[in-house]
Amino acid sequence: MSRKTAIIYSFHTRKSKKVAEKVIEAWGKNDIEAVNAEELDKEVFEKHDNFILSAPTWFDGELPNYWDEFVPDLEEMDLAGKKFAVFGLGDQKEYSENFCDAIGIMSEILEQCGGSVVGHTPVENYTFEASKAQQGNKFAGLPLDQENQARLTQDRVNKWVEQLKKEFAQ
Ligand SMILES: Cc1cc2nc3c(=O)[nH]c(=O)nc-3n(C[C@H](O)[C@H](O)[C@H](O)COP(=O)(O)O)c2cc1C
């Protein structure tokens, strides 16, 4: 029996939560389990095979505190056989040199732990100087910019969910 996908985001954010709810809606809420990133334990990573993670960028190119605090636990885990997709809020105008860095930081950690990261998206239609999320002409996940491109979010989420349904199934 296939297990539910988990979506992990901070329940206490305003913007990321709103976008996570769009992802849940697009996924179909009966097929996904929402987990609060601020109350994470290792068990969550054992219970599921596929994960969607919300990693907004804070502090000029850093993970938010709740992820940063969990990183030492994460680094002890063996995530082989598990698939991850990371979306993250960021601001390409105000933080053009660190646009959505958290997506890059998070996916690197996941890969170091043996996990595979899917859900890469093209860098087209964003304007920024530098991003740790960029790998060639792709991002390591899905950047969403509620400050400057909020109108594009719903469509980006819908397309990404469609892509993930295929990539998680492979
Ligand atoms: C103090 C501060 C630092 C930020 N640093 C970055 C950054 O380095 N890169 C980026 O892309 N966005 C940055 N942002 C923008 C946030 O990622 C953006 O506002 C996002 O919507 C926050 O989502 P959240 O409130 O759900 O956590 C920063 C915002 C603040 C307030």
Side-chain angles (χ1 to χ4, degrees):
M1 198 180 75
S2 73
R3 294 195 276 185
K4 273 189 189 178
T5 295
I7 178 166
I8 307 177
Y9 62 97
S10 160
F11 288 9
H12 296 113
T13 49
R14 202 166 43 86
K15 291 184 191 160
S16 291
K17 184 178 170 204
K18 217 169 155 189
V19 173
E21 284 165 356
K22 287 182 193 288
V23 175
I24 293 168
E25 189 69 37
W27 196 271
K29 52 179 182 297
N30 295 329
D31 298 327
I32 195 160
E33 186 179 338
V35 177
N36 189 356
E38 298 183 46
E39 291 169 13
L40 268 183
D41 53 41
K42 288 186 180 178
E43 232 176 75
V44 169
F45 291 85
E46 286 155 18
K47 273 187 5 204
H48 301 270
D49 301 314
N50 298 324
F51 301 84
I52 300 173
L53 268 45
S54 160
T57 305
W58 276 87
F59 316 117
D60 296 342
E62 304 285 340
L63 294 175
N65 289 334
Y66 46 90
W67 274 124
D68 214 33
E69 283 161 18
F70 192 70
V71 164
D73 280 346
L74 202 55
E75 284 175 336
E76 284 176 5
M77 276 183 241
D78 177 8
L79 300 176
K82 307 216 177 257
K83 286 189 184 168
F84 297 87
V86 186
F87 72 92
L89 271 57
D91 180 339
Q92 62 201 285
K93 213 163 158 191
E94 281 298 312
Y95 300 93
S96 186
E97 310 243 315
N98 302 92
F99 179 51
C100 284
D101 278 0
I103 293 175
I105 297 169
M106 205 64 208
S107 40
E108 201 179 315
I109 295 167
L110 295 165
E111 282 175 345
Q112 278 165 4
C113 296
S116 63
V117 176
V118 301
H120 292 201
T121 61
V123 291
E124 283 142 40
N125 302 324
Y126 298 87
T127 306
F128 61 98
E129 291 294 323
S131 172
K132 282 188 189 142
Q134 187 173 2
Q135 300 173 345
N137 59 2
K138 295 256 183 170
F139 289 114
L142 178 68
L144 296 165
D145 185 339
Q146 294 303 91
E147 264 81 26
N148 307 294
Q149 295 184 326
R151 276 179 302 150
L152 301 182
T153 295
Q154 185 67 60
D155 194 45
R156 283 173 171 164
V157 164
N158 292 348
K159 284 203 181 110
W160 196 56
V161 163
E162 232 175 87
Q163 178 185 339
L164 294 188
K165 292 232 174 190
K166 290 189 199 124
E167 291 180 336
F168 279 166
Q170 275 162 14

